[in-house]
């Protein structure tokens, strides 16, 4: 039986790289996101690696859409909770509540909606499973201008630890990957499409790439049944924390 792996937010960056890294003849990769054209193109790439591929085009902020798309799947062996964003970078007194809603609704509530459906199916099936949440160094290091993004990733960190305990007796592994700077569309999204400002984030540094995070996820999934990686923090060599980046 093929291993069924669902990756949220597979249209770009870390999610896209992960879907491709995990694609193999013994897997079925379920790719999700809002941009249907990107999903269609990725499906062809995943299938070229010998995997089966199913596309689910929905918005994780809608619990109804999550239920309609995910519940009919039945068994899923691996869930990569990756869909997420930062929106805006300003002091709390100047923050935009639409940005706050987008981050909380996606990074926290969307992750919860997807996780509830899949973990419930895993518990009922009684065959274990593996869930990996993409957190961030922002999940333990709150930084200036990032109150709500950091709060959302603190929530992911707390949820990851609590759900590991909740799902322990069902033999479901729960891990978290907490990256530092990864060069994806993340900054372009954060700055509402301002490509030049986004490029500035990665100027003078060799940031991580989505493929680097995918490699860590592949390793976590490859370990024997009795081994679980709870938490992994990955940064580029030029970064030592949210406040410490060496630029050339
Ligand atoms: P990208 O912007 O490149 O990718 C984000 C992905 O999330 C896209 O596929 C996007 O798909 C999806 N997504 C966003 N909102 C929704 C939504 N409402 N419903 C469904 N899918 C959604 O960024 P990254 O790859 O960098 O980000 C992936 C994860 O990694 C995020 O959780 C982010 O917080 C985290 N992270 C990123 C870091 C970085 O430096 N880049 C560092 C630490 C953590 P679509 O728009 O098509 O719906
Ligand atoms: C993304 C990395 O440093 O912008 O989670 O919080 S950072």
């Amino acid at each position: 039986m093929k291993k069924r792996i669902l990756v949220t937010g597979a249209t770009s960056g870390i999610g896209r790289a992960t879907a491709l890294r995990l694609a193999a003849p013994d897997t079925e990769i379920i790719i999700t996101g809002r941009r249907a054209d990107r999903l269609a193109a990725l499906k062809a790439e995943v299938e070229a690696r010998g995997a089966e591929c199913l596309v689910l085009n929905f918005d994780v902020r809608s619990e109804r859409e999550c239920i309609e798309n995910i519940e009919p799947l039945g068994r899923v062996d691996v869930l990569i909770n990756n869909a997420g964003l930062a929106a805006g970078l300003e002091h709390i007194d100047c923050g935009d509540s639409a940005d706050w809603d987008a981050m909380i609704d996606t990074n926290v509530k969307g992750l919860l909606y997807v996780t509830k459906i899949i973990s419930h199916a895993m518990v009922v099936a009684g065959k274990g499973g593996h869930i990996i949440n993409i957190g961030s160094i922002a999940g333990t290091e709150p930084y200036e201008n990032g109150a709500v993004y950091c709060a959302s990733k603190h929530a992911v960190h707390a949820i990851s630890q609590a759900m590991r305990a909740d799902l322990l007796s069902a033999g479901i592994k729960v891990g978290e990957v907490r990256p530092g700077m990864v060069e994806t569309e993340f900054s372009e999204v954060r700055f509402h499409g301002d490509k030049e400002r986004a490029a500035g984030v990665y100027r003078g540094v060799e940031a991580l790439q989505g493929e680097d995070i995918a490699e860590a996820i592949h390793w976590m999934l490859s370990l024997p049944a009795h081994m679980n990686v709870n938490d992994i923090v990955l940064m580029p060599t030029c970064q030592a924390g949210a406040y410490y980046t060496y630029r050339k």
Side-chain angles (χ1 to χ4, degrees):
M1 199 185 292
K2 294 199 178 209
K3 196 181 222 186
R4 301 188 90 194
I5 302 171
L6 189 147
V7 182
T8 67
T11 57
S12 169
I14 295 169
R16 178 185 145 74
T18 301
L20 287 170
R21 182 66 183 88
L22 301 180
D26 61 346
T27 62
E28 179 186 354
I29 310 290
I30 303 162
I31 51 174
T32 83
R34 291 166 301 176
R35 285 170 286 181
D37 53 338
R38 299 258 190 123
L39 290 170
L42 179 61
K43 177 176 161 62
E45 286 189 70
V46 167
E47 287 173 345
R49 295 178 183 222
E52 275 182 41
C53 187
L54 178 69
V55 167
L56 296 178
N57 182 201
F58 68 96
D59 187 330
V60 297
R61 290 174 298 180
S62 160
E63 185 173 22
R64 182 186 52 78
E65 287 185 35
C66 290
I67 291 169
E68 282 174 5
N69 281 278
I70 299 174
E71 252 184 17
L73 292 174
R75 178 186 63 88
V76 171
D77 302 298
V78 175
L79 165 63
I80 311 295
N81 267 320
N82 165 76
L85 80 162
L89 190 70
E90 57 270 301
H91 285 174
I92 193 91
D93 52 304
C94 301
D96 181 338
S97 60
D99 284 345
W100 298 348
D101 287 345
M103 290 186 276
I104 291 168
D105 290 351
T106 310
N107 302 356
V108 184
K109 292 167 70 182
L111 179 144
L112 289 170
Y113 298 149
V114 173
T115 301
K116 179 180 173 182
I117 302 161
I118 291 186
S119 63
H120 183 74
M122 284 174 173
V123 170
V124 169
K127 295 199 167 121
H130 201 154
I131 301 175
I132 296 177
N133 297 330
I134 308 302
S136 168
I137 57 168
T140 47
E141 276 191 88
Y143 52 79
E144 186 179 5
N145 292 314
V148 178
Y149 180 69
C150 294
S152 76
K153 290 298 181 178
H154 272 65
V156 172
H157 192 45
I159 291 164
S160 301
Q161 293 171 81
M163 65 188 255
R164 185 175 305 120
D166 292 342
L167 300 173
L168 195 60
S169 61
I172 298 168
K173 296 184 183 188
V174 177
E176 186 183 4
V177 179
R178 298 195 294 114
M181 195 189 297
V182 191
E183 193 169 356
T184 62
E185 294 177 10
F186 178 85
S187 293
E188 203 180 315
V189 172
R190 167 170 256 173
F191 300 134
H192 304 293
D194 184 339
K195 286 188 197 301
E196 204 174 315
R197 191 172 173 202
V201 173
Y202 309 108
R203 203 158 284 142
V205 297
E206 186 176 354
L208 294 173
Q209 301 298 311
E211 289 74 13
D212 300 321
I213 308 303
E215 196 56 41
I217 291 170
H218 182 269
W219 173 70
M220 289 163 80
L221 294 175
S222 73
L223 295 172
H226 71 286
M227 283 177 73
N228 183 46
V229 177
N230 285 0
D231 189 2
I232 191 167
V233 179
L234 271 175
M235 281 189 227
T237 306
C238 62
Q239 187 179 28
Y243 280 103
Y244 304 101
T245 300
Y246 180 73
R247 290 179 197 274
K248 283 190 183 150

